[in-house]
């Protein structure tokens, strides 16, 4: 709903001024508001058609204030500037960071810079080298036998320590701090090679001129050399063209945003295929790097290999020519560390030729070592007759495989090996311990020994053991046959608990029975003192019967049956 006030018409937030005399009116909304006009339906339709043509590449893109093209696929809410910027032409300046922080910097560390060299040890410095910028624990110098704290000699200079607050670009600049002068030695080496090549060609021309003797022949020689150089350049150009064989055909398209042709880009998937990061939506699955579009691990490790078409980028890293290229790089690094002037990026042909020569020499050395060992010790494998399948390289057995290369049928599956060692023969044995059993004992079957970890004696040991057994049996039989009957000896009567009775001692059985009764009565009185009489008669005369009764009734501490007496 609009209203009119002194010739001003308002529709929402848009103010229409019909008169060109703007100084006579004051805008009540904002002083810097841009005066806008309505577009007709036809103009709006033309504007939409122009935008569609720009997006399709049929019309040139819109140009900003600096003369740069604006991508037509950028949404309008991003390309249109706010009203308070008073933008007269389309531009993307409002999307850029126009406020710069003065604290941010793009500088880098001054590597190896020193600030102060002390003459003597200072308190709080490193005890090893004497520098104030680090502690003894973080010192990178070789540990001295006596540190600078005690010797005050060879004080290391203080390092220059810097701290930077990098901006957004500085944190992500991988070439920040790179010194371009460090590549000068590579350029010098190439220039020296070109100079040597020119000198070599010139020397060859002079030699040919001397051989032909000058004159017309000399002119012909010069022309032949020029032809050779031209042929060499043509061959190099062919090599450069062959490097681009793997690129697809470049198709040109008229009136594009860049004004030129569009080509194919490698490392792009087919748009109908599922993206790598959508194969497994689990957050703990394989990591996807959007910058390099790489996913090294397998996103679906538990899936059937016959059904999945992508198993991670590491599958390409360890297969095909990638593994050979990796070994070539490692060989170039090791050769450079050992003093050889070889660089994989600067001179790849030289590095590859050096690696080929290295492999040839390595194989020769291995074959020489193998031949010397075979000549010295012989070759036991050559004595055994090989089966027919290995000799002819074929067999009539049918084996069926699946798509992943696993055996389905036609060959028995190998039994899984135990975690314990099996079929390990020690001390010249040909069988393991426990392969022989006799007389409730385990032993070795090869030598029939019962002693574990003993040295094998073979068939000779078995014969010696059998001979010793026969000899022992013969000796036993001979001893039993020659053994005389021993006369029975008189059994010696022993007293209780093994005490010897004198030969002239004769015990009266009646008195012994009375003595046993007295001993029982005495023991009862000892157990219960209430039965002891007041007047005790004491007799110190001990007869042999009393002593024997005492010994018979006495409880021996070591007797296992003492608890069952009395």
């Amino acid at each position: 709903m609009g209203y009119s006030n002194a010739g001003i018409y308002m529709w929402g937030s848009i103010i229409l001024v019909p008169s060109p005399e703007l100084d006579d009116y004051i805008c009540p909304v904002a002083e810097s508001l841009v005066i806008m006009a309505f577009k007709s339906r036809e103009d709006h339709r033309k504007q939409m058609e122009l935008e569609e043509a720009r997006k399709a590449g049929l019309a040139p893109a819109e140009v900003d204030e600096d003369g740069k093209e604006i991508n037509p696929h950028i949404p309008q809410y991003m390309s249109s500037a706010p009203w308070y910027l008073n933008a007269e032409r389309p531009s993307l300046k409002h999307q850029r960071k126009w406020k710069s922080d003065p604290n941010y910097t793009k500088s880098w560390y001054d590597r190896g810079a020193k600030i102060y060299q002390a003459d003597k040890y200072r308190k709080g410095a490193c005890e090893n080298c004497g520098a104030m910028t680090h502690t003894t624990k973080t010192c990178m110098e070789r540990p001295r036998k006596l540190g600078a704290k005690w010797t005050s000699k060879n004080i290391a200079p203080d390092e220059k320590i810097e701290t930077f607050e990098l901006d957004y670009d500085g944190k992500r600049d991988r070439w920040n701090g790179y010194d371009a002068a460090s590549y000068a030695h590579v350029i010098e080496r190439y220039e020296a090679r070109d100079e040597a090549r020119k000198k070599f060609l010139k020397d060859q021309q002079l030699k040919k001129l001397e051989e032909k003797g000058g004159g017309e022949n000399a002119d012909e020689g010069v022309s032949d050399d020029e032809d050779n150089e031209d042929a060499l350049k043509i061959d190099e150009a062919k090599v450069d063209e062959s490097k681009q064989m793997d690129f697809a055909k470049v198709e040109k398209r008229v009136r594009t945003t860049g004004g030129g042709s569009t080509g194919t880009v490698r490392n792009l998937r087919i748009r109908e295929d599922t993206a790598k990061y959508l194969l497994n939506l689990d957050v703990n699955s394989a990591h996807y790097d959007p910058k390099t579009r790489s996913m090294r691990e397998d996103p679906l490790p538990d899936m059937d290999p016959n059904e999945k078409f992508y198993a991670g980028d590491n599958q390409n890293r360890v297969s095909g020519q990638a593994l050979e290229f990796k070994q070539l790089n490692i060989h170039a690094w090791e050769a450079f560390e050992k003093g050889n002037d070889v660089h994989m990026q600067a001179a790849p042909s030289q590095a590859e030729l050096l690696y080929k020569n290295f492999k040839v020499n390595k194989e020769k050395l291995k074959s020489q070592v193998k031949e010397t060992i075979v000549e010295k010790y012989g070759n036991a494998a050559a004595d055994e007759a090989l089966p027919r399948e290995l000799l002819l390289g074929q067999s009539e057995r049918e084996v069926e495989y699946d798509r992943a290369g696993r055996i389905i049928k036609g060959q028995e599956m190998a039994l899984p090996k135990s975690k314990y060692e099996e079929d390990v023969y020690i001390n010249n044995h040909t069988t393991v311990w426990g392969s022989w059993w006799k007389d409730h004992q385990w032993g070795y079957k090869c030598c029939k020994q019962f002693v574990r970890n003993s040295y094998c004696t073979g068939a000779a040991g078995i014969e010696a053991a059998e001979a010793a057994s026969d000899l022992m049996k013969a000796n036993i039989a001979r001893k039993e046959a020659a053994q005389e009957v021993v006369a029975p000896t008189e059994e010696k009567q022993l007293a209780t608990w093994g005490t010897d009775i004198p030969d002239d001692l004769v015990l009266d059985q009646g008195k012994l029975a009375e003595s046993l009764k007295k001993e029982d009565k005495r023991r009862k009185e000892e157990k219960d003192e209430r039965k002891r009489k007041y007047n005790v008669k004491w007799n110190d005369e001990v007869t042999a019967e009393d002593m024997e009764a005492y010994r018979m009734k006495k409880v021996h501490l070591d007797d296992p049956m003492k608890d069952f007496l009395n």
Side-chain angles (χ1 to χ4, degrees):
M1 180 177 182
Y3 64 92
S4 174
N5 184 9
I8 298 176
Y9 297 91
M10 293 188 63
W11 292 89
S13 60
I14 301 174
I15 300 175
L16 304 180
V17 182
S19 176
E21 299 176 358
L22 301 177
D23 296 336
D24 299 338
Y25 302 98
I26 299 175
C27 181
V29 177
E31 296 180 2
S32 61
L33 184 64
V34 179
I35 300 173
M36 301 177 62
F38 283 112
K39 290 183 180 180
S40 64
R41 183 174 298 177
E42 186 68 21
D43 294 340
H44 181 71
R45 184 180 61 79
K46 290 182 180 179
Q47 181 68 23
M48 296 298 294
E49 289 179 355
L50 180 60
E51 291 180 359
E52 293 294 335
R54 286 172 178 170
K55 291 181 180 179
L58 302 177
E62 198 172 8
V63 182
D64 61 358
E65 298 176 356
D66 299 333
K68 298 180 180 179
E69 295 181 351
I70 299 177
N71 192 337
H73 298 283
I74 297 177
Q76 186 179 5
Y77 72 89
M78 295 177 63
S79 60
S80 59
W83 60 269
Y84 51 82
L85 293 180
N86 298 328
E88 297 179 357
R89 297 187 61 183
S91 175
L92 294 176
K93 283 186 176 181
H94 59 278
Q95 294 290 349
R96 300 187 182 96
K97 184 180 180 182
W98 53 277
K99 287 184 179 181
S100 60
D101 195 340
N103 296 327
Y104 289 150
T105 179
K106 288 188 177 180
S107 57
W108 201 245
Y109 301 99
D110 190 3
R111 299 181 184 273
K114 311 296 180 182
I115 54 177
Y116 178 70
Q117 175 73 50
D119 298 333
K120 61 180 181 179
Y121 181 78
R122 295 159 291 176
K123 185 177 180 181
C126 175
E127 298 180 358
N128 185 42
C129 66
M132 289 289 294
T133 51
H134 61 266
T135 60
T136 308
K137 190 175 182 179
T138 58
C139 183
M140 301 298 293
E141 190 176 332
R142 176 183 60 83
R144 304 181 184 180
K145 188 175 182 180
L146 288 176
K149 180 179 180 181
W150 294 275
T151 59
S152 294
K153 295 179 180 179
N154 299 327
I155 303 297
D158 299 341
E159 297 92 351
K160 184 178 180 181
I161 299 178
E162 300 174 285
T163 55
F164 300 115
E165 189 176 359
L166 301 175
D167 56 355
Y168 182 87
D169 296 331
K171 292 178 181 178
R172 290 155 181 80
D173 187 6
R174 64 178 64 187
W175 296 101
N176 196 359
Y178 173 72
D179 186 10
S182 61
Y183 197 72
H185 69 282
V186 179
I187 299 175
E188 292 174 358
R189 189 168 60 204
Y190 272 88
E191 291 177 352
R193 189 194 66 176
D194 294 339
E195 291 292 334
R197 183 171 178 271
K198 291 179 181 178
K199 185 178 179 181
F200 176 72
L201 293 175
K202 190 174 182 181
D203 293 342
Q204 282 187 341
Q205 292 177 3
L206 293 175
K207 286 182 181 179
K208 290 182 178 180
L209 289 174
E210 291 177 358
E211 291 176 357
K212 293 182 179 180
E216 296 178 356
N217 296 332
D219 297 336
E220 292 177 359
V222 173
S223 62
D224 293 340
D225 294 333
E226 292 177 355
D227 294 339
N228 293 335
E229 287 186 4
D230 295 337
L232 182 61
K233 291 179 180 178
I234 291 172
D235 293 339
E236 291 178 353
K238 288 181 180 179
V239 172
D240 294 336
E241 291 177 4
S242 65
K243 292 180 180 178
Q244 299 178 359
M245 291 291 288
D246 53 352
F247 287 95
K249 182 180 178 182
V250 178
E251 299 178 356
K252 293 187 177 181
R253 193 168 60 183
V254 185
R255 300 175 73 180
T256 57
T257 56
S261 61
T262 59
T264 59
V265 182
R266 286 191 288 181
N267 197 19
L268 286 179
R269 62 179 175 85
I270 303 174
R271 311 315 296 176
E272 287 79 7
D273 293 342
T274 308
K276 300 177 185 177
Y277 50 85
L278 296 179
L279 293 175
N280 192 350
L281 301 180
D282 188 5
V283 294
N284 297 324
S285 62
H287 173 69
Y288 175 75
D289 185 13
K291 184 176 182 180
T292 58
R293 297 177 181 176
S294 62
M295 181 181 286
R296 297 190 176 182
E297 299 179 3
D298 189 359
L300 300 170
D302 300 331
M303 188 177 177
D304 186 7
N306 298 327
E307 298 180 0
K308 61 183 177 182
F309 64 93
Y310 179 73
D313 296 338
N314 283 340
Q315 187 181 17
N316 300 328
R317 289 172 172 266
V318 296
S319 62
Q321 296 181 349
L323 189 60
E324 298 178 2
F325 185 72
K326 181 180 178 181
Q327 294 174 354
L328 178 59
N329 274 326
I330 294 174
H331 178 264
W333 297 336
E334 293 177 351
F336 183 77
E337 290 178 355
K338 293 178 181 178
N340 295 327
D341 190 10
V342 59
H343 196 276
M344 185 58 199
Q345 281 71 34
S349 301
Q350 179 188 1
E352 187 172 1
L353 181 61
L354 184 64
Y355 181 56
K356 287 183 179 178
N357 295 336
F358 168 75
K359 289 196 295 185
V360 171
N361 296 334
K362 185 177 179 181
E363 291 295 332
K364 287 182 179 179
L365 182 60
K366 287 175 65 176
S367 61
Q368 290 177 1
V369 173
K370 184 177 179 180
E371 289 175 359
T372 53
I373 293 174
V374 170
E375 289 177 1
K376 187 173 182 180
Y377 299 102
N379 189 4
D383 298 339
E384 299 178 0
L386 295 176
R388 182 182 179 86
E389 292 81 2
L390 295 179
L391 287 174
L392 302 179
Q394 61 185 1
S395 64
E396 297 181 358
R397 188 189 312 174
E398 182 181 356
V399 182
E400 186 178 350
Y401 300 88
D402 62 356
R403 292 184 179 180
R406 294 185 291 251
I407 297 175
I408 299 176
K409 65 179 181 178
Q411 185 175 353
E412 296 181 358
M413 297 295 292
L415 295 176
K417 295 186 69 175
S418 173
K419 66 178 181 179
Y420 303 103
E421 293 182 347
E422 296 181 356
D423 298 335
V424 178
Y425 307 124
I426 59 173
N427 296 335
N428 204 28
H429 287 284
T430 57
T431 56
V432 295
W433 168 261
S435 59
W436 190 53
W437 169 263
K438 185 179 180 182
D439 297 337
H440 304 283
Q441 286 182 323
W442 292 105
Y444 295 97
K445 188 177 181 181
C446 56
C447 58
K448 296 184 179 180
Q449 292 193 65
F450 299 107
V451 181
R452 192 171 186 179
N453 296 330
S454 61
Y455 194 81
C456 183
T457 56
I462 296 174
E463 294 176 359
E466 291 178 353
S469 178
D470 296 341
L471 182 60
M472 183 178 65
K473 291 179 180 178
N475 292 335
I476 293 173
R478 191 186 306 111
K479 186 175 181 181
E480 290 177 354
Q483 188 176 8
E484 296 178 358
V485 179
V486 182
T489 57
E490 296 180 359
E491 294 184 1
K492 207 173 196 179
Q493 187 177 3
L494 299 177
T496 308
W497 308 113
T499 306
D500 296 336
I501 300 175
D503 298 335
D504 55 350
L505 179 62
V506 177
L507 296 177
D508 189 358
Q509 295 299 326
K511 293 182 179 180
L512 182 59
E514 294 178 0
S515 298
L516 289 173
K517 291 180 180 180
K518 290 180 181 180
E519 184 65 21
D520 292 337
K521 187 177 180 181
R522 186 183 66 81
R523 287 179 177 273
K524 289 180 181 180
E525 291 179 355
E526 287 181 357
K527 290 181 179 180
D528 191 1
E529 294 183 353
R530 292 177 298 177
K531 294 182 179 181
R532 182 182 296 177
K533 296 181 179 180
Y534 182 75
N535 296 321
V536 180
K537 295 180 180 179
W538 183 257
N539 187 9
D540 55 355
E541 293 181 1
V542 180
T543 61
E545 289 78 3
D546 295 338
M547 193 64 190
E548 184 65 19
Y550 171 75
R551 289 172 179 169
M552 290 174 68
K553 294 293 184 180
K554 180 182 178 183
V555 179
H556 201 277
L557 297 177
D558 297 333
D559 187 6
M561 303 294 291
K562 63 180 180 179
D563 296 333
F564 299 96
L565 298 176
N566 299 329

